[in-house]
Amino acid sequence: NEGNEYFKEKDYGRAVAAYSEGLRTRCGDAELDAMLLTNRGAAHFHLGNYRSALNDAIQAKKLKPTHLKAIIRGALCHMELKNFSEAIAWCEEGLQIDSKEKNLVEMRAKADKLKLEGTLLRIQTDSSTHCQGRAVLGTDLLCERNIKLVLEPSDEEEEVSDGLAEMSLDGFHSDSATGAKVHLDADGNLNWPVLFLYPEHEQTDFTVAFHENSRFIDHLVVMFAELPPWDLEKKYLPNNLELYFEDEEREEMYEVNPEHTLLQVLQHERYFVKAGTPTVLVFAKRSSFSKKYFSGKKVHRL
């Protein structure tokens, strides 16, 4: 009930927290847990956290396979993530339960069209957006937190390391994926769009509203509650991950403590927020890929 009240007020962050608290009670009622998961997924969806929303929809559907709201939410998440084949599959599953469900009928048609046309939307680089940080926040807010923001692309921007260059990093900026920008909440805290990169699989996650006082491990637990489809070796588990950020100027890597908050990481003397979007690289622990990736680079470990 508390979560629903926050949801009605469009305070989606607090709604997520309330629904999560309800789930932690482990009430044993599968239908109620499915409802909590579906509602939390809806709140995540409104925050733009589509992977987290999808994970909740998957868990809700496991508890209650005929839960149409969970199926619709899962399909919507796949649409936002540009997984059109998966979106079609979820729509078909829902239409077997209710063949006239308008949302699913329309979404299925749209997914079919996008898949057929091969219109995988790609974020395009617009150098003017690199300066939007000035309009979003006053520099005093960043200075008092000791956060260093890079507003203009450097001359060396094209010379990123091979693993990152393949992922077209330059196309991401704070106003790209979902119109997300760093913003102040009602309590005077900053919420940042954060980009997670998985170089081994050339995949990304985009969290629209990462509260500056939230820990990385808390996000990882939600993001990897369900194994991603590209993790065939089942290595990407919350407690089996290493996080890093790259100091491009010095060509050095810094390991990030998952127990640290976003603010603690942003305050690191060598962390520079590029284009308004903090970026973190994620690797499976002790993987052969990470050893090869770090070869020749100076790595500052915990």
Side-chain angles (χ1 to χ4, degrees), residues 44-109:
H44 272 307
F45 187 89
H46 282 284
L47 288 170
N49 301 334
Y50 302 123
R51 263 291 300 278
S52 299
L54 177 58
N55 286 336
D56 280 345
I58 290 171
Q59 295 298 325
K61 188 157 69 77
K62 284 181 179 178
L63 291 173
K64 188 179 179 183
T66 59
H67 196 11
L68 264 182
K69 284 187 177 180
I71 293 173
I72 293 171
R73 184 65 56 193
L76 284 168
C77 290
H78 280 302
M79 291 294 289
E80 293 294 338
L81 293 167
K82 309 297 184 283
N83 300 331
F84 301 122
S85 294
E86 294 291 337
I88 291 170
W90 278 64
C91 288
E92 289 179 344
E93 189 174 348
L95 290 171
Q96 288 178 5
I97 299 169
D98 182 354
S99 61
K100 296 182 180 179
E101 167 54 52
K102 183 180 178 182
N103 290 320
L104 291 175
V105 171
E106 293 179 352
M107 203 185 323
R108 169 64 203 265

Side-chain angles (χ1 to χ4, degrees), residues 8-150:
K8 290 176 184 176
E9 296 168 4
K10 298 185 178 181
D11 191 344
Y12 301 118
R14 284 192 172 92
V16 166
Y19 294 135
S20 298
E21 186 66 26
L23 286 163
R24 278 193 287 271
T25 64
R26 301 184 183 276
C27 68
D29 185 331
E31 187 158 347
L32 179 55
D33 280 344
M35 190 182 303
L36 284 164
L37 285 163
T38 301
N39 289 359
R40 187 175 70 176
H44 272 307
F45 187 89
H46 282 284
L47 288 170
N49 301 334
Y50 302 123
R51 263 291 300 278
S52 299
L54 177 58
N55 286 336
D56 280 345
I58 290 171
Q59 295 298 325
K61 188 157 69 77
K62 284 181 179 178
L63 291 173
K64 188 179 179 183
T66 59
H67 196 11
L68 264 182
K69 284 187 177 180
I71 293 173
I72 293 171
R73 184 65 56 193
L76 284 168
C77 290
H78 280 302
M79 291 294 289
E80 293 294 338
L81 293 167
K82 309 297 184 283
N83 300 331
F84 301 122
S85 294
E86 294 291 337
I88 291 170
W90 278 64
C91 288
E92 289 179 344
E93 189 174 348
L95 290 171
Q96 288 178 5
I97 299 169
D98 182 354
S99 61
K100 296 182 180 179
E101 167 54 52
K102 183 180 178 182
N103 290 320
L104 291 175
V105 171
E106 293 179 352
M107 203 185 323
R108 169 64 203 265
K110 183 177 180 181
D112 272 332
K113 179 182 178 182
L114 290 172
K115 182 183 178 184
L116 181 65
E117 294 175 352
T119 315
L120 296 173
L121 300 179
R122 298 198 178 277
I123 303 165
Q124 301 198 358
T125 305
D126 180 353
S127 60
S128 66
T129 59
H130 286 269
C131 299
Q132 288 183 345
R134 291 194 181 97
V136 177
L137 287 174
T139 55
D140 54 336
L141 287 173
L142 301 178
C143 288
E144 69 184 25
R145 287 169 167 79
N146 194 28
I147 296 175
K148 298 166 285 297
L149 186 67
V150 178

